[in-house]
Amino acid sequence: MADLGRQAPPALMPLLRMLGDLKRIRSAGHMGSIAARLFAAAWAGVAAGVPVADVARRTVADALAATQLGDLDAAALQTAGIPSEEVRRIRAEAVAVAAAPIDAGLQQWLLEARPAPSAGLPPAFVARLAAQPRAGATCPGRGRLVLEPPEDHAEHCAIVAISGVILAPVWGARVETVFLAALAHHLHNALLPDAGFAGEVLLGEWLQPAMARATTLALDDLSPSPRAAVEEACRILPDATTPEGRAFHAADTLDRVLQVEHHLRAAGTSMDFVLQEMELVHAGPVKPFQDAVLVRMGLAA
């Protein structure tokens, strides 16, 4: 099993980090982060009976575009006067740039994604998951390490689902199964606040029955056909013995650790890195003046 873990592709790490940043991008006129909204739109499609493969393709393509454009979505660009054909070109270029390091076949599949039709409202559990913070790092006998602001369960599940699709070719996994299982893997937290590892240990033998009951209550929000599809997809969750289980657990583990890494990187960032590597004050006609001001004020050498 450990040998199979060595198939994980380090070349995808920059992209996985950028996808994680979608939890932290918000804009005026929208509720929640990009990741939370992708989660809601995906569940609206699943609940409406849209084929899961189509939902996955559209969701991942939109996420890839957002790694480059942030919240500059098609509606905003068109309202700003950019012709619709140019908007499509810009967004397709953004997807292509972000998708460069992924599997060639998957890349082509994603580039063929089409705008999704309106699918109505998402299931009720979506709003509850978006309002349910993640626990942070917990360990029995130790205080909780809460990194502010905490991500929510909608954001986590969205990025695991998107990352799972991107990682699926590594293990030859079916993208629709990985995607749907990842979307659903925290349904129990629509009812149960996240107590983390420490709380799970204390629940002991009651942990699994409580999670199962809470998941069932969330699934009651779905009609029979999508509910059955979710239940079938979630069969991969208990272990990493299948290609789909491996892709899911790789995505889930990486997202949990990268969430903490984000905070550590931010806390350890130097002014030199921000000014030199990130070009916070970037090239332009007034840059010499700006640089001189920063030097004079002691913020740059």
Side-chain angles (χ1 to χ4, degrees), residues 85-300:
E85 62 273 14
E86 278 299 288
V87 170
R88 286 192 292 271
R89 181 191 63 77
I90 291 168
R91 288 183 60 79
E93 185 174 341
V95 173
V97 169
I102 69 177
D103 172 81
L106 180 64
Q107 184 178 147
Q108 185 58 43
W109 183 71
L110 292 169
L111 289 171
E112 295 170 356
R114 295 291 179 264
S118 177
L121 295 174
F125 60 70
V126 168
R128 296 196 295 273
L129 288 169
Q132 191 77 280
R134 303 249 311 142
T138 73
C139 183
R142 296 180 179 271
R144 183 180 298 210
L145 177 62
V146 179
L147 300 169
E148 298 285 354
E151 62 180 327
D152 61 53
H153 281 81
E155 292 168 331
H156 169 67
C157 290
I159 300 307
V160 174
I162 292 161
S163 300
V165 170
I166 288 169
L167 290 165
V170 175
W171 289 279
R174 294 167 294 174
V175 296
E176 60 269 32
T177 302
V178 177
F179 180 81
L180 189 53
L183 278 187
H185 80 286
H186 276 285
L187 283 181
H188 57 279
N189 288 117
L191 170 66
L192 301 174
D194 192 352
F197 178 37
E200 291 175 356
V201 169
L202 286 171
L203 283 174
E205 65 181 16
W206 290 104
L207 174 64
Q208 292 304 322
M211 290 175 60
R213 176 58 178 160
T215 299
T216 297
L217 291 173
L219 288 170
D220 287 344
D221 292 340
L222 296 174
S223 59
S225 181
R227 177 176 182 150
V230 171
E231 290 173 331
E232 178 61 29
C234 286
R235 295 181 188 277
I236 72 165
L237 296 177
D239 56 57
T241 59
T242 65
E244 292 72 30
R246 290 165 193 149
F248 164 76
H249 284 288
D252 182 47
T253 302
L254 287 167
D255 185 66
R256 281 188 285 154
V257 174
L258 287 175
Q259 175 68 13
V260 176
E261 185 207 52
H262 159 75
H263 290 277
L264 298 177
R265 288 172 65 215
T269 296
S270 68
M271 185 62 73
D272 184 67
F273 174 80
V274 172
L275 290 175
Q276 301 302 322
E277 301 296 326
M278 297 299 293
E279 298 185 74
L280 181 63
V281 179
H282 44 265
V286 299
K287 189 175 189 301
F289 172 79
Q290 293 170 320
D291 287 342
V293 169
L294 293 175
V295 171
R296 176 64 177 170
M297 302 304 283
L299 292 172

